[in-house]
Structure formats: C-alpha cells, structure tokens
Amino acid sequence: MLSKNQQKYLRQLGQKKYRRQHHMFLVQGAKNVLELLQSDHDIDSVFASESFLAQHHQLLGSRLDARHIHQSDEGSLSKVSTLVTNNEVIAVAPMRDVTIQETSWQLALDGVSDPGNLGTLIRLADWYGFSQILLSPNCADPHNPKVISATMGSFTRVSCAIVDLPEYLQQLDKPVYGAFLGGTNVHHVEFAQQGVLVMGSESHGISEAVGQAISERITISGYGGAESLNVAIASGIILDNIKRCSG
Amino acid sequence: MLSKNQQKYLRQLGQKKYRRQHHMFLVQGAKNVLELLQSDHDIDSVFASESFLAQHHQLLGSRLDARHIHQSDEGSLSKVSTLVTNNEVIAVAPMRDVTIQETSWQLALDGVSDPGNLGTLIRLADWYGFSQILLSPNCADPHNPKVISATMGSFTRVSCAIVDLPEYLQQLDKPVYGAFLGGTNVHHVEFAQQGVLVMGSESHGISEAVGQAISERITISGYGGAESLNVAIASGIILDNIKRCSG
C-alpha cells in the first residue's frame, strides 16, 4: 500500500514544476529501474510489488537502505504511474548536476519537443558512445517520465545539459554540422575528427539563431514521396556517417 | 453532428475485426487526410469540422460526391477518434488489394508488432523510394489507426503485403540481408544492386524460420552502453548504407 503522502509525492513528480521543486524524477518499469539499480546513479527510493522485491532483493539491498524500499501492489502503483502497463516498480532518483563535457564529438538538439523522440535520441546517443546531449531550453524536459521510459535505461549513462545553443556554438573552434533540407549530401561530407552535430525539431527544423552558428549544412538524400524523416532516424543516419569517417 | 450509426461505424473501424469485415480503414488528422485527398487512393467518405470543409472545399469536391462529405463538430469527432488531439477530420478509405511487387530492392519486416514503429517504417520506406513493404503475418496491422497516423501520409504511396516470409524469401535468387547482433559491420558490406533487407522485432529479433532464409548477416556497430537500437532507426541506418552502394 502507498500512503496518501506517497501517492501525492509520486503523482507530483509526473509534473515538471514539482520535479524542479523536489530535485527528483521518476523512473518507471522494470527495465529502466534495473538499469538504474545497476548504474552509479543515486537512488532516493523504490516502490515495488512483492514479487519484484523478492526477485531483486539482493540488488535492491546493495543500493538502498531498507527504509527507502516500499512494498506496494501493482494496482496502487498504476494509479500514480504515468505508464499504462509495466507498473510493478517505480523508483525516485535525484537529479544530477550537469556540467558541459567538451568531448571531441557532441550532439546538440534544437527544439526537439516530443518526449518520445528525445528519449529515443538519448538511447541512440548512448549506442554511439556519447555521454551527453546538449539541449536548447525549448526541448522536452529530459526528466519527463515519457523521456526516461523511451531511453530504455540510457538515461543512466547519458546526461542532458540545457544550454544557450547559439552562444555556446558560436564560441567553439571546431566544425558545427547542422541537418537542413538542401545541404550537402551526407555521403559526400568528409566529417572532421571532432565537431558538433545539431539536429532541429521535426516541425520547425533548426532555428534561425542556431542556424547562424552552423558551419556545414548537411542533408540526407530522399528518393521518394515522404517530406521528412523522423528526427531520431535522421540523427541515427548522420551519426553512422560520422562514425564511418571518424570511427 | 454524427448519427448514431455513423458513430458506431467509425468506432468499429478502430478494430481490426470490423476493418476486415467492411474492407475499410480510418485516416485521421489533417496532414494524413490531405495526403489522402491529394493521392490516387480511393476515398469512401469524409467527416470534418465546418472550418476544415470550408478551407478544403475545392479539393474535397474534386474527390468526393457531396453526399459522402459530412459536417461534424470536433467534439463529436474526438469521441469516435482514436487520437487525443487533431480531430478536425476523419476519412474512411477502402483497403486496396495488394500484390507483391518484385522491385530490385525490397524491405521485409519480421514480427514488428508496435504500430508506431511500423508507421515510422512506412514513412522511412517512402523516403527511400520503396513502394511496398513485406510484412510477416505477426506484424502490427498496417491499417491500425496508430500505424496510419505515424506514416504522416506515406500510407498512400507505400503498400504493405502480408506474406509467408520464410517461403517467399527461400525462392528468391537475390541476396537476402538480415540485421543481427554479431553480423558483418554494415560499413564493410558491399551491398548488391538488388536484394531484400529483413528487419526483426525489437524484442525478439529475426525469427528462426526467417533466419534460415538470410544469406548475409549484417550489424550496426555500437560504441556505448545501449543494448539495442530502435528498429526504425536501425532500418534507416542500413537503408542509407544500401543507398550509398547502389544509389
């Protein structure tokens, strides 16, 4: 059972305002919570079904004090959860302080506001070995439960730094690649050994202010009728081309 | 206003059983309906708000007899719609009869059961100029409203043929490429001028029966911690590599 206060607290963390206030966020579903437990990410508390607690007894005990582990039933958990299914466990984790990592290659997102897309992009960044994504302030909140769910655990390895992209990109002395319709075909681009890849939102592309900081405009050639590619797919294709050159 | 019979009919078409029975499917949201109206795809009827009807009066009139155009309010439309927002218009379209197209390159999906992924893959196939995708019978129903919505109009240009993949692939005399963990790095594959790309489900990969028909096992190298890539992203990356060789 969850107490009324616990219910209220967990429901609050579904909203950005309260996540900021408490400096905490929700991790829902077994896959994501197990990734969290196996990572070096701090954990505040876990609310789980009897069977989840029994099955992961040891792992939980190694990471949390018993008084932060709460047994509940799936019915009660699904009432406070933002997921439709997969409600055997919810964890609460403290937000991390994020500083910008000056790695040789960086990925920046400008106005990617769909939480599912952002989560999938975090998972993609993890696949390609990025430990950070730079986000413009109008991207989806990286601690939104839908983002966390879509990362499939990659949120534990990839941090999101919210930055003023035009200002940040302007002062860099490495190439800044941006995806535009009508840029150079990505197959003809010789990517440098270091750089930044900037991807814009699906509906509006890269904003004008960010566009002024782009030194190389690139594009993925289409051959059919679709007007555009999903931003996560487009990012995957360009990152694969970058890895072909630099990896 | 929608009559009770119209409400019932539109609600029924949210379900596969009734789509089969009526041989009709739903197209929801302005973007998808406008693509439908501008395509050569047959249309049975349109239910739309006053403002949508006024704005697209001419286009509608060129494609439909007035008695198949029904005015309704967004409130009534959202009650029968499977979408949360974007309910100014719903169209009903007849299913097409699909025969297999023996194009030089073909894309086949084995057990891709998530409707959002299937819709995104149809949009991706359209981008790369495919006019058809082959589906194993256990893929999501290509006429599921979530699939149609995720195609962003590409359903009008890309047909889905449901086939017995092992049987079909075995009798082909061109290379059959399949995405597996541990196959040849896609950057080292010299793709032929014709072939089939087979992608499996995210959870189970390519099934054993289909696997026996694969002549070339390929993989996308990962560099970080994520266990897998989303199937639509992985397909995008491999199709881009195929186009680099053959396009």
Side-chain angles (χ1 to χ4, degrees):
Chain A
M1 280 296 294
L2 297 172
S3 73
K4 281 209 169 165
N5 275 340
Q6 289 172 333
Q7 287 177 32
K8 187 179 163 196
Y9 180 59
L10 293 172
R11 275 213 195 90
Q12 281 186 339
L13 294 180
Q15 293 175 57
K16 187 174 181 178
K17 170 179 142 186
Y18 292 107
R19 287 195 292 275
R20 279 198 180 168
Q21 189 177 306
H22 297 298
H23 214 65
M24 296 281 172
F25 66 100
L26 297 175
V27 182
Q28 301 173 114
K31 160 81 181 162
N32 273 308
V33 173
L34 289 172
E35 289 258 10
L36 175 68
L37 289 167
Q38 284 153 3
S39 75
D40 63 358
H41 201 298
D42 282 345
I43 310 172
D44 180 70
S45 47
V46 167
F47 301 82
S49 68
E50 191 177 355
S51 69
F52 186 93
L53 294 181
Q55 206 183 335
H56 304 289
H57 174 74
Q58 235 172 349
L59 180 59
L60 285 159
S62 71
R63 294 283 272 124
L64 283 153
D65 195 280
R67 72 203 154 85
H68 295 299
I69 304 173
H70 308 278
Q71 187 179 316
S72 180
D73 57 296
E74 284 201 41
S76 308
L77 288 171
S78 50
K79 277 187 198 155
V80 296
S81 167
T82 66
L83 302 180
V84 179
T85 55
N86 230 335
N87 286 312
E88 70 266 54
V89 61
I90 299 178
V92 176
M95 290 184 189
R96 285 171 155 179
D97 291 326
V98 178
T99 49
I100 295 181
Q101 297 164 11
E102 305 277 357
T103 49
S104 56
W105 267 96
Q106 293 169 283
L107 175 63
L109 306 179
D110 183 25
V112 173
S113 59
D114 179 80
N117 278 341
L118 178 55
T120 305
L121 280 158
I122 292 171
R123 180 177 166 202
L124 175 69
D126 188 21
W127 178 269
Y128 280 108
F130 290 85
S131 54
Q132 185 168 80
I133 297 183
L134 307 176
L135 303 181
S136 68
N138 59 342
C139 284
D141 176 12
H143 293 102
N144 178 316
K146 284 187 193 162
V147 174
I148 299 292
S149 291
T151 69
M152 304 281 276
S154 292
F155 75 92
T156 60
R157 289 175 293 270
V158 179
S159 68
C160 291
I162 296 165
V163 295
D164 181 329
L165 282 185
E167 191 183 297
Y168 178 74
L169 296 172
Q170 290 286 7
Q171 53 84 41
L172 289 176
D173 56 358
K174 58 186 177 185
V176 180
Y177 300 86
F180 285 90
L181 293 172
T184 309
N185 181 336
V186 72
H187 291 169
H188 304 148
V189 178
E190 269 295 328
F191 288 98
Q193 292 303 303
Q194 50 177 6
V196 183
L197 172 62
V198 183
M199 301 295 298
S201 84
E202 284 198 65
S203 1
H204 311 292
I206 291 174
S207 65
E208 211 185 305
V210 173
Q212 286 175 7
I214 305 288
S215 52
E216 319 264 350
R217 292 176 169 237
I218 54 176
T219 202
I220 300 165
S221 290
Y223 306 80
E227 275 172 28
S228 65
L229 282 173
N230 167 286
V231 61
I233 295 187
S235 303
I237 292 172
I238 298 174
L239 289 175
D240 177 71
N241 278 275
I242 291 173
K243 280 292 172 185
R244 185 188 270 270
C245 289
S246 71
Chain B
M1 280 294 296
L2 297 172
S3 73
K4 282 210 169 163
N5 273 342
Q6 289 172 333
Q7 288 177 30
K8 187 178 161 194
Y9 179 59
L10 292 172
R11 275 213 195 92
Q12 279 186 341
L13 293 180
Q15 293 175 56
K16 186 174 182 178
K17 171 179 143 188
Y18 292 106
R19 286 195 293 276
R20 278 197 182 170
Q21 190 177 305
H22 298 297
H23 214 66
M24 295 281 174
F25 67 100
L26 297 174
V27 182
Q28 301 173 114
K31 160 81 180 159
N32 273 308
V33 173
L34 289 172
E35 288 259 10
L36 176 68
L37 289 167
Q38 284 154 1
S39 74
D40 62 358
H41 201 298
D42 282 346
I43 311 174
D44 179 72
S45 47
V46 167
F47 302 81
S49 69
E50 192 176 354
S51 70
F52 185 93
L53 293 181
Q55 206 183 334
H56 304 290
H57 173 73
Q58 236 174 348
L59 181 60
L60 284 159
S62 71
R63 294 283 272 122
L64 283 152
D65 195 280
R67 71 200 156 88
H68 295 299
I69 304 173
H70 308 277
Q71 186 179 315
S72 180
D73 57 295
E74 284 202 40
S76 307
L77 288 172
S78 49
K79 276 187 197 154
V80 296
S81 167
T82 66
L83 302 180
V84 178
T85 56
N86 230 334
N87 286 311
E88 70 265 54
V89 60
I90 299 179
V92 176
M95 290 184 189
R96 286 173 154 178
D97 291 325
V98 178
T99 49
I100 295 181
Q101 296 164 9
E102 305 277 358
T103 49
S104 57
W105 266 97
Q106 293 168 282
L107 175 63
L109 305 179
D110 183 25
V112 173
S113 58
D114 180 81
N117 278 341
L118 178 55
T120 305
L121 280 157
I122 291 171
R123 180 177 167 203
L124 175 70
D126 189 21
W127 178 268
Y128 280 108
F130 289 85
S131 54
Q132 185 168 80
I133 297 183
L134 306 175
L135 303 181
S136 68
N138 60 340
C139 283
D141 176 12
H143 293 101
N144 178 316
K146 285 187 194 161
V147 174
I148 298 293
S149 292
T151 69
M152 304 282 275
S154 291
F155 76 92
T156 60
R157 289 175 293 270
V158 179
S159 67
C160 291
I162 296 166
V163 295
D164 181 329
L165 282 184
E167 192 183 297
Y168 178 74
L169 296 172
Q170 290 286 6
Q171 52 82 43
L172 290 175
D173 54 359
K174 58 186 177 185
V176 179
Y177 299 86
F180 285 90
L181 293 172
T184 309
N185 181 337
V186 71
H187 291 169
H188 304 149
V189 177
E190 269 294 328
F191 288 97
Q193 292 303 303
Q194 51 177 5
V196 183
L197 172 62
V198 183
M199 301 296 297
S201 85
E202 284 199 64
S203 1
H204 310 293
I206 291 175
S207 64
E208 211 186 305
V210 172
Q212 286 175 7
I214 306 288
S215 52
E216 318 267 348
R217 294 177 168 236
I218 55 176
T219 201
I220 299 164
S221 288
Y223 305 80
E227 274 172 28
S228 64
L229 283 173
N230 168 286
V231 60
I233 295 186
S235 303
I237 293 172
I238 298 174
L239 289 175
D240 177 71
N241 278 275
I242 291 172
K243 280 292 172 187
R244 183 187 272 268
C245 290
S246 71

